[in-house]
Amino acid sequence: MSLESNRPAPERVAAAMNAFVRDFTRESAVHMDACIRCGHCAQACHFYTSTLDPKYTPINKLEPFLHAYRRTTAPWAPLARLLGAEKGVTLQELESWQELIYDACTMCGRCTLVCPMGIDIAALISRARHGMFAAGLVPEDLRAAAERAENEMSPLGATPKVLEERVDWLEDEHGVKIPLDLPQADVLVTFSSIEIMKYPHSLVAMAKVLKHAGESWTVSTKGYEATNFGMLSGNRDWQHDMSERIIDAAIACKAKTVVLPECGHAYGALRWEGANVHGAPLPFEVVHISEYLASLARKGRLRLKPLAKSLTFHDPCQVSRRGGASEAPREVLAALGVDLHEMGDHADAAWCCGGGGGVVAIKRADELRRGAFRIKMEEIDATGAELLATSCANCRLTFDDGAAYHKWNKSMQSLTELVAERLEG
Amino acid sequence: MTLLEFARGPALTVALTVFIAGTLWRIFRLATRPAPPDRSAPRVDAAAAGALLGILRRFWPHPRFGARIGFSVFIGYLYHIGLAVIVFAYLPHIEFIRKLIGVGWPALPAPVTYFAGGVTMFALLIALMLRLTDPVKRLLSRFDNYFSWLVVFLPVATGMAAFDTAAGGFNQTYIALHLLTVELFLLWFPFGKLMHAGLAFWSRGITGVKYGRRGAMP
């Protein structure tokens, strides 16, 4: 029995409602009021499309949040309460919606692309998760990962000590230098725990690229992990702590630029939410690694041996559709000289891999996620490309899992690693 | 007081009062919700352009979704355009508006507006059928969706029925019913989804600004 089940139901519901109300900003309110219930968003969702189950319609995933809004904050909330038109949200309702809010939404934002009202459903889901966390209704594996990230600095056990050991090993093995905790550097480089633990060659690739560019850079053991599981789980305080670690580390080493790793949600968390969490504009530039590579290519600081192969690129949703950096990886691929075969849906319209938003960390969501992954397999097969690459370790992990499960003979590669392998000199 | 006098007098006054006051209240309540500033450094510093693009782009479905939602969008356009023609281009309606606010404009020929009325009723019936038969729309539909449909359909239906072809004029009872159904529309407007007529622009604009400054599709 979990600790949460010992809390009285009214207390948990009240906690959820308080968190919900805090999130009923003007943007949320206008978006919820504007919905015409047309259901077009279903057609953009990989979980609806792969199951045809209407419950996976994106706007339907927000029902408890909408009920809470209409009962507490909406313009006609007093009337709704007076007439009994809006019953209060119950713990059972919140429990039954947990799967839809966590397991069945990667917050990829594809639904917003098709919404005639422009409702940012992904942002609403992110806010609804605050209330779910407050009520103790986060899937246990996601909550545990977030708690590890808060307490140990990594959701996957990539603690500062583990990072130092990995860096030692990688420096020995690959003859690269990964400078830790320099007192001053122009660039602060961050990683994803998935890279540190599962794809350590990404760290080597980053080191090779930065050396090639002649950059002054460092990694801080006080703020190196950029995947923000506080944000994904719905814990606002943890989100703040995780962002502040990097912000503090960047300020401490007087970094002009923070380079975010191949991780989509890390980009959303720091590039677009970091300053809001911090409460002031950030005193440094925040770029995704693909933007950093594109910038080097533009300045002629990336000398690459051509890669004479066809390749298709999987856009991480938070970097492209929700982040506005769709062109950066394509500039890098052009610099690599690959024959780019775009998928039918790419860049802003790309399908999600199914593993974002913390979904890949939720074991019970495996079947749903792997079903949705078929969409990507079919799109990639249709391109006929020899190689596939992405700029998100979480997507890469989802691809590796999906490929193994479906016995698919394709392997996802890292954009940064491809670049590092083709560096001249 | 006849039914027509009631519809033209106190019922219209009440309906217009609720319509105006209710709409203003809803806008006021939404506008006064907290709006934390976005402190992130914009990639593109052009909020107005983002809002405008966000508003305009969504008048047409994204090309990747045309096949999936095209029919639903087409039906929606049919009755929205039909309603606009009926309300703003039919001579008796223009005269009604002129009496109410003192502004008028030229009308379209009556047969054109009758045709628009027929198309609108047909499209509204198809829209209802879609809502009742499509599993997604059915799941999402609430009282608001069906009642809003009804208060749009009734004025069109009673308006079409009001012209007595045999008598070559308007049937006064139907005119009274027509006015009363329009008043029902006005009474319901501030409370339900009909207000998307204005909220659509606000909602799209907010997203347009947010994603426009990120350099993403607004």
Side-chain angles (χ1 to χ4, degrees):
Chain A
M1 183 184 282
S2 75
L3 282 175
E4 292 297 344
S5 59
N6 292 331
R7 284 168 68 198
E11 186 187 312
R12 295 172 70 183
V13 171
M17 293 295 275
N18 287 339
F20 284 160
V21 168
R22 190 177 158 188
D23 280 313
F24 295 147
T25 59
R26 188 187 299 158
E27 177 189 310
S28 302
V30 170
H31 279 168
M32 286 190 284
D33 258 42
C35 181
I36 52 171
R37 320 288 285 179
C38 66
H40 289 178
C41 49
Q43 303 302 332
C45 177
H46 43 286
F47 292 125
Y48 170 76
T49 308
S50 58
T51 61
L52 296 182
D53 187 335
K55 75 176 180 178
Y56 294 125
T57 302
I59 199 71
N60 183 55
K61 297 170 191 174
L62 286 160
E63 273 303 294
F65 197 61
L66 290 165
H67 281 303
Y69 169 69
R70 289 197 291 264
R71 185 170 170 80
T72 62
T73 316
W76 302 112
L79 200 60
R81 286 196 300 271
L82 190 71
L83 300 174
E86 276 299 338
K87 307 287 179 213
V89 177
T90 64
L91 187 63
Q92 288 72 25
E93 190 185 4
L94 292 174
E95 281 171 341
S96 65
W97 246 264
Q98 190 197 56
E99 184 222 348
L100 297 180
I101 290 178
Y102 284 101
D103 308 27
C105 182
T106 54
M107 299 190 284
C108 75
R110 199 164 186 267
C111 42
T112 299
L113 208 61
V114 72
C115 176
M117 301 293 132
I119 299 169
D120 192 350
I121 296 174
L124 291 174
I125 289 280
S126 179
R127 287 171 197 142
R129 285 186 179 188
H130 294 150
M132 296 297 279
F133 196 102
L137 289 170
V138 187
E140 181 49 29
D141 24 20
L142 180 59
R143 193 205 59 77
E147 192 170 36
R148 278 195 299 276
E150 170 68 2
N151 297 331
E152 303 171 9
M153 297 184 70
S154 162
L156 297 177
T159 61
K161 185 169 178 291
V162 169
L163 173 71
E164 287 176 44
E165 288 168 359
R166 291 240 147 188
V167 164
D168 278 348
W169 162 58
L170 292 168
E171 285 184 338
D172 284 350
E173 184 96 4
H174 298 276
V176 293
K177 180 71 188 156
I178 301 175
L180 292 179
D181 294 325
L182 295 184
Q184 190 166 348
D186 290 342
V187 175
L188 178 77
V189 170
T190 58
F191 300 126
S192 140
S193 281
I194 299 172
E195 291 176 325
I196 299 169
M197 303 306 281
K198 184 155 172 63
Y199 305 120
H201 284 99
S202 281
L203 278 61
V204 176
M206 295 269 264
K208 285 181 177 172
V209 167
L210 287 150
K211 184 187 175 204
H212 177 87
E215 201 74 82
S216 143
W217 69 288
T218 190
V219 174
S220 167
T221 54
K222 292 187 175 63
Y224 57 92
E225 214 288 336
T227 63
N228 197 313
F229 268 68
M231 180 182 78
L232 299 180
S233 64
N235 187 312
R236 219 190 299 257
D237 295 333
W238 290 356
Q239 176 182 355
H240 174 268
D241 293 348
M242 290 168 205
S243 293
E244 286 296 334
R245 282 177 197 154
I246 296 174
I247 294 167
D248 289 347
I251 292 170
C253 72
K254 302 175 188 65
K256 295 175 190 149
T257 303
V258 169
V259 175
L260 293 171
E262 291 198 332
C263 174
H265 286 282
Y267 190 66
L270 198 69
R271 174 65 180 92
W272 298 115
E273 291 301 323
N276 298 328
V277 165
H278 186 58
L282 300 179
F284 47 79
E285 179 192 25
V286 179
V287 294
H288 186 254
I289 180 67
S290 59
E291 291 178 288
Y292 179 73
L293 292 171
S295 153
L296 291 181
R298 235 175 282 135
K299 292 172 188 163
R301 291 169 66 193
L302 208 53
R303 296 172 307 282
L304 298 169
K305 290 174 270 186
L307 177 60
K309 294 209 168 182
S310 59
L311 178 147
T312 192
F313 184 77
H314 165 72
D315 289 275
C317 308
Q318 306 301 322
V319 181
S320 57
R321 177 168 41 252
R322 301 194 78 219
S326 302
E327 282 310 306
R330 288 168 176 79
E331 283 183 58
V332 178
L333 292 169
L336 268 171
V338 300
D339 175 16
L340 182 62
H341 291 202
E342 293 282 20
M343 288 176 235
D345 296 282
H346 61 272
D348 290 316
W351 285 98
C352 176
C353 64
V359 171
V360 78
I362 304 170
K363 180 74 185 151
R364 68 180 187 205
D366 282 356
E367 191 182 339
L368 182 67
R369 172 173 56 79
R370 287 166 177 161
F373 184 71
R374 285 180 185 279
I375 298 170
K376 284 307 313 191
M377 287 165 51
E378 285 165 15
E379 278 218 311
I380 288 168
D381 284 340
T383 67
E386 296 164 274
L387 304 174
L388 49 146
T390 189
S391 55
C392 174
N394 194 68
C395 296
R396 189 177 174 190
L397 185 67
T398 304
F399 268 83
D400 283 356
D401 177 84
Y405 180 80
H406 292 290
K407 299 183 174 48
W408 189 46
N409 63 345
K410 298 271 196 318
S411 175
M412 179 54 82
Q413 299 195 44
S414 145
L415 179 71
T416 312
E417 288 178 35
L418 276 179
V419 167
E421 285 162 14
R422 312 299 300 173
L423 290 170
E424 278 185 353
Chain B
M1 184 184 283
T2 65
L3 189 63
L4 187 56
E5 285 167 343
F6 171 73
R8 281 181 171 155
L12 182 61
T13 306
V14 169
L16 282 171
T17 306
V18 171
F19 170 73
I20 294 167
T23 302
L24 289 175
W25 169 253
R26 190 157 161 189
I27 292 169
F28 170 75
R29 289 289 293 167
L30 291 171
T32 52
R33 291 302 307 156
D38 190 345
R39 297 185 171 96
S40 61
R43 189 192 308 279
V44 183
D45 200 0
L52 191 64
L53 276 173
I55 289 167
L56 295 177
R57 182 182 80 71
R58 291 174 196 281
F59 276 112
W60 202 247
H62 187 287
R64 297 304 301 176
F65 299 104
R68 287 173 176 270
I69 62 169
F71 183 66
S72 175
V73 171
F74 172 69
I75 292 296
Y77 262 108
L78 266 190
Y79 68 76
H80 277 86
I81 293 170
L83 285 169
V85 169
I86 300 164
V87 174
F88 298 112
Y90 182 47
L91 186 60
H93 292 161
I94 296 170
E95 285 304 315
F96 182 81
I97 294 167
R98 196 197 309 273
K99 277 181 198 158
L100 211 60
I101 60 170
V103 181
W105 50 85
L108 282 175
V112 175
T113 52
Y114 292 146
F115 177 73
V119 169
T120 302
M121 285 178 66
F122 171 75
L124 279 168
L125 286 168
I126 298 287
L128 180 64
M129 194 189 75
L130 286 176
R131 194 162 278 287
L132 289 167
T133 56
D134 180 85
V136 168
K137 287 184 196 287
R138 200 170 59 229
L139 175 75
L140 296 179
S141 298
R142 304 187 301 239
F143 170 79
D144 181 15
N145 296 91
Y146 295 112
F147 193 67
S148 294
W149 180 91
L150 188 69
V151 301
V152 171
F153 186 82
L154 284 179
V156 184
T158 53
M160 294 286 280
F163 191 77
D164 188 338
T165 29
F170 291 103
N171 178 308
Q172 296 302 295
T173 307
Y174 274 108
I175 288 292
L177 286 175
H178 178 58
L179 268 173
L180 287 170
T181 57
V182 171
E183 284 149 12
L184 188 63
F185 172 95
L186 293 172
L187 284 169
W188 181 245
F189 184 91
F191 299 97
K193 72 162 201 165
L194 295 173
M195 244 187 87
H196 78 271
L199 289 177
F201 297 93
W202 199 355
S203 177
R204 291 174 183 185
I206 287 174
T207 302
V209 169
K210 181 174 173 179
Y211 284 91
R213 71 196 299 284
R214 293 182 184 189
M217 186 174 278

